[in-house]
Amino acid sequence: MIDIATRPGVTQRFLYIAPESPKAAVILYAGGHGGLQLDPYGTFGWGQGNFLVRSRQTFVSNGLAVAVIDAPSDRQSVPFLNGFRLSAEHAADGKAVIAWMREQTKVPVWLVGTSRGTQSVAAIAIALASGGGPDGIVLTSTILQDDKGGSPVTGMNLSALKVPVLVVHHKDDACRYCPVSGTSGLMEKLTGSSDDGLMIVSGGSSKGDPCEAFAYHGFNGVEGEVVRAIAEWIVAH
């Protein structure tokens, strides 16, 4: 468990796991409200089932150092990251974690988000495009439509992104905010990216709410293959 100072009076907690010689590093942003409520012993108060959270060790097994990021200390109650993901404060927290990961690992640092975590990843990378940002980003199950007062990723200034961008989506994602048909419009807006890729996934199984972690939205049943493909793409870039 790592706690670092990010803003005056604010700390950012994350769970850090790494192989002996990482090829790259990833900072994982969960979806939903994003408040993992990590205790000092690494126990999750919420979000254990989230695609990225439950796959954290698989990223490590594929050669990547991992930070599973919680909400910051001033967002440790409802609404957690809701209404905060696009803020300058969230970007400042992200910048501090990126710097820590770079210093710790000495390898490229990427941001990886899933569902509402893609709003965090895109917003942080855009805010830090002029310096201190990630070496690349991965958007999985991207928020492409939003009726909750937030901003879909497609509504952000994606042309500001100069780093590589990988978009990963399940072809049968039935979450109303994440129609696979919207991925083509997302890719068209990545005009400044140094490289971009679209990975459409199939297979697995879907259980429960189509916007939750064990539906196709959360790559249920194909997590290992998806994480391996993401890791290979990151290392290649």
Side-chain angles (χ1 to χ4, degrees):
M1 294 304 302
I2 306 295
D3 291 284
I4 61 172
T6 57
R7 293 173 278 125
V10 175
T11 57
Q12 175 68 66
R13 174 170 290 178
F14 54 94
L15 175 63
Y16 177 69
I17 320 168
E20 186 171 338
S21 299
K23 303 171 185 176
V26 289
I27 302 172
L28 307 180
Y29 285 82
H33 60 57
L36 302 180
Q37 301 160 58
L38 285 164
D39 74 12
Y41 306 101
T43 302
F44 291 84
W46 178 88
Q48 300 96 319
N50 178 268
F51 161 58
L52 293 179
V53 175
R54 72 177 188 264
S55 300
R56 60 192 182 276
Q57 195 62 53
T58 309
F59 280 95
V60 176
S61 297
N62 280 275
L64 305 183
V66 171
V68 184
I69 199 160
D70 198 356
S73 61
D74 61 343
R75 304 289 298 192
Q76 280 293 308
S77 59
V78 176
F80 297 101
L81 294 182
N82 286 341
F84 186 73
R85 292 187 185 271
L86 276 62
S87 68
E89 292 82 2
H90 194 40
D93 297 338
K95 183 176 183 178
V97 179
I98 291 167
W100 187 94
M101 290 287 278
R102 280 210 178 101
E103 177 61 28
Q104 180 73 23
T105 65
K106 313 297 185 187
V107 294
V109 178
W110 288 56
L111 305 183
V112 183
T114 198
S115 195
R116 293 204 177 275
T118 61
Q119 293 171 303
S120 286
V121 165
I124 292 169
I126 291 167
L128 302 179
S130 61
D135 293 285
I137 66 172
V138 181
L139 306 173
T140 75
S141 304
T142 305
I143 297 292
L144 301 168
Q145 298 176 359
D146 200 344
D147 65 1
K148 290 188 173 182
S151 173
V153 172
T154 45
M156 298 181 188
N157 182 25
L158 297 177
S159 63
L161 295 173
K162 309 302 181 188
V163 297
V165 180
L166 174 63
V167 174
V168 184
H169 218 90
H170 198 291
K171 75 178 186 66
D172 296 316
D173 191 333
C175 181
R176 62 192 180 279
Y177 306 117
C178 310
V180 68
S181 59
T183 55
S184 58
L186 171 61
M187 301 307 293
E188 289 170 1
K189 295 188 176 185
L190 297 171
T191 56
S193 171
S194 60
D195 193 8
D196 58 67
L198 174 61
M199 189 183 301
I200 301 297
V201 176
S202 61
S205 61
S206 189
K207 300 177 183 177
D209 187 325
C211 291
E212 291 297 332
F214 291 99
Y216 292 126
H217 182 68
F219 306 99
N220 185 32
V222 291
E223 300 94 331
E225 299 97 306
V226 172
V227 170
R228 182 170 61 252
I230 290 172
E232 288 174 353
W233 206 89
I234 287 173
V235 172
H237 289 78

